[in-house]
Amino acid sequence: MNARIRHPEPTEGAAARTVQRRDGKGAHNVRDEVACEVPVALHYNDQPFAVLMATPRDLADLAVGFSVSEALIPDAGELQIEAIDESIDGIAIRMRIPEPRHAALADRQRALPGYGGCGICGSASIEAVLRAPPRIASTPRIAETALHRALDALHECQPLNAATGATHAAGFADRSGTLLLVREDVGRHNALDKLVGAMATQGIDAGSGFAIVTSRASYELAMKAAHVGIPLLAAISAPTTLAIALAESADLCLVGFARDGHCAVYAHPERLIPSSAEQSR
């Protein structure tokens, strides 16, 4: 009798699929890991609010981070996750917040569904999107070498992307560049929300370090970072004009093209100590 071939379990957040690989020698079928993307419905006080297309892992972090970074609640202490229900259609996260907060959601109501690729799809009004975050209170200065240290470490902390090649990551590092937390998702906004939620749950002060993301620096990401008080956001790709404008008004240091030992600072460069200044000390 032939022994049964045992395939390793897929990485959390991925599923095994058969793919036909082709090259100059022909075609052959192999097992591949593919990133999961499912509808995740967010319900507050028994009412649907938004649907995100997300990777089904770290969902409690997603619920907390979305609620805080979207200014639905001021802090994680006001949120109670009652259930995370899975069905054939997707996942529903059922949460409860104070009734006055819930009553205010009518002004922020999102049309369903929303999408993982767009953090503001379905927002009911321009005012709901272009809300002004408070100015960032903390004023740490981050060394450029610390930024690149964290970016180098991030490459080794993305198991889902290593398996699938299809996800973004968001990480938070302390001022020395030591990476403290990383979260992954098919949506860049979801990855940052998961990071914010994990930080809130673990009691990590948003003003004590900086965030890095493996995507462009969109307005939504800058807004989320600024709202929770992260003083520096670095992206491996480009920012947008609206992200720069928001960063300037919120005292957020916004860094783009942060990779391979280089970066471009688009707002508040005084928060990032250049390598030349470090060497002259």
Side-chain angles (χ1 to χ4, degrees), residues 50-53 110-116 118 121-122:
V51 175
L52 309 176
M53 299 304 296
R110 293 175 175 227
L112 304 183
Y115 298 92
C118 178
C121 288

Side-chain angles (χ1 to χ4, degrees), residues 180-252:
L180 303 180
L181 282 173
V182 177
R183 290 293 184 268
E184 294 182 274
D185 198 276
V186 289
R188 61 188 185 274
H189 311 95
N190 298 336
L192 185 57
D193 277 338
K194 287 179 178 180
L195 178 70
V196 169
M199 290 168 60
T201 300
Q202 298 183 31
I204 297 175
D205 179 10
S208 65
F210 59 95
I212 49 180
V213 292
T214 60
S215 65
R216 71 178 184 270
S218 64
Y219 168 82
E220 304 96 322
L221 295 189
M223 169 65 78
K224 290 175 182 290
H227 182 77
V228 300
I230 295 173
L232 185 151
L233 175 67
I236 67 169
S237 192
T240 64
T241 55
L242 199 56
I244 296 170
L246 181 140
E248 288 174 343
S249 66
D251 290 341
L252 170 69

